[in-house]
Amino acid sequence: VKTVTDADIDSAKNQSISEINSKIKEKLKSESGDGYVVLEESINLGDPIYEVSNSSGDTADSFTVDVKLDAKAIVFREADLKNVIESTIEKNMGEGKRVVEDSITQEFGKAEADLTNAVLKVKIHVDAKIAPILDLDSMKKGIIGKSTAELEAYLKPYSDIAKVEVEYWPVFIYGKIPQYGSRVE
């Protein structure tokens, strides 16, 4: 004769709560949709309510444990986060520079959630590429007709330019940029 013990009930409760916790977290993440972020730390699982079909000492081949559990989470749009990151970077990088499109990457660190006030504090490590804002049309007009030495002198004030390569075609034109803008790319 099989009987239900306290150890059997406790084991079933622990196993069921473990399974339901992981399923709730997966469901929250999947139902949030594309473009939304749910951090593990922002999920708050309430106290479980158990309903056991049998009591300890009952004679039974099996028993069931039903678990009810409330879950809350703070979810945010990744696009909103990127906008905040971009504006913060732009405020701190100075004039004449811009963030290179699609160069921002972030890695989430420690997070603290206050579900009562719907506040999530997250440490984020951000990498972004920053490039100077160059007026290429104006630069093109400025280099037309210049020799290689004049070109170097013209570009010297642009400290953000690390390297310049000039390709002359046809080869016999070597040493001077054409006078006509339509012949310069």
Side-chain angles (χ1 to χ4, degrees):
V1 176
K2 295 181 182 180
T3 59
V4 178
T5 65
D6 285 334
D8 292 334
I9 293 172
D10 290 342
S11 175
K13 284 180 178 180
N14 290 336
Q15 184 179 355
S16 61
I17 197 67
S18 174
E19 287 177 23
I20 201 166
N21 281 348
S22 64
K23 288 189 189 236
I24 284 176
K25 289 174 182 176
E26 287 175 25
K27 188 167 182 152
L28 281 171
K29 289 178 181 179
S30 68
E31 287 188 2
S32 295
D34 290 339
Y36 287 86
V37 178
V38 181
L39 297 177
E40 193 85 18
E41 294 89 350
S42 74
I43 300 172
N44 183 3
L45 302 173
D47 293 329
I49 300 171
Y50 298 101
E51 291 181 19
V52 183
S53 64
N54 296 68
S55 299
S56 179
D58 288 354
T59 302
D61 288 334
S62 64
F63 65 96
T64 60
V65 174
D66 292 326
V67 181
K68 291 181 182 178
L69 185 67
D70 289 329
K72 295 179 182 178
I74 297 176
V75 179
F76 58 91
R77 285 185 30 202
E78 192 167 14
D80 292 341
L81 176 65
K82 285 202 178 211
N83 289 340
V84 169
I85 290 170
E86 234 176 86
S87 67
T88 303
I89 291 171
E90 287 172 357
K91 284 179 190 173
N92 294 313
M93 73 181 161
E95 288 188 35
K97 298 184 191 281
R98 65 177 175 79
V99 175
V100 175
E101 194 172 326
D102 295 329
S103 72
I104 296 176
T105 59
Q106 75 266 347
E107 186 177 310
F108 296 106
K110 185 180 176 188
E112 295 176 19
D114 177 3
L115 289 153
T116 307
N117 297 315
V119 174
L120 179 65
K121 294 179 183 178
V122 183
K123 291 192 181 230
I124 302 173
H125 175 80
V126 177
D127 284 321
K129 292 182 182 175
I130 297 173
I133 298 172
L134 299 174
D135 183 356
L136 297 180
D137 290 332
S138 166
M139 288 178 78
K140 182 177 175 179
K141 290 175 185 170
I143 65 171
I144 289 177
K146 298 217 182 308
S147 67
T148 304
E150 291 171 325
L151 174 64
E152 285 178 21
Y154 178 81
L155 294 175
K156 197 168 194 143
Y158 294 96
S159 61
D160 291 320
I161 298 176
K163 181 179 177 183
V164 176
E165 288 184 27
V166 180
E167 184 179 311
Y168 295 99
W169 189 87
V171 180
F172 63 84
I173 298 181
Y174 184 79
K176 192 161 183 164
I177 297 172
Q179 290 286 338
Y180 301 103
S182 61
R183 295 182 182 172
V184 177
E185 291 182 22

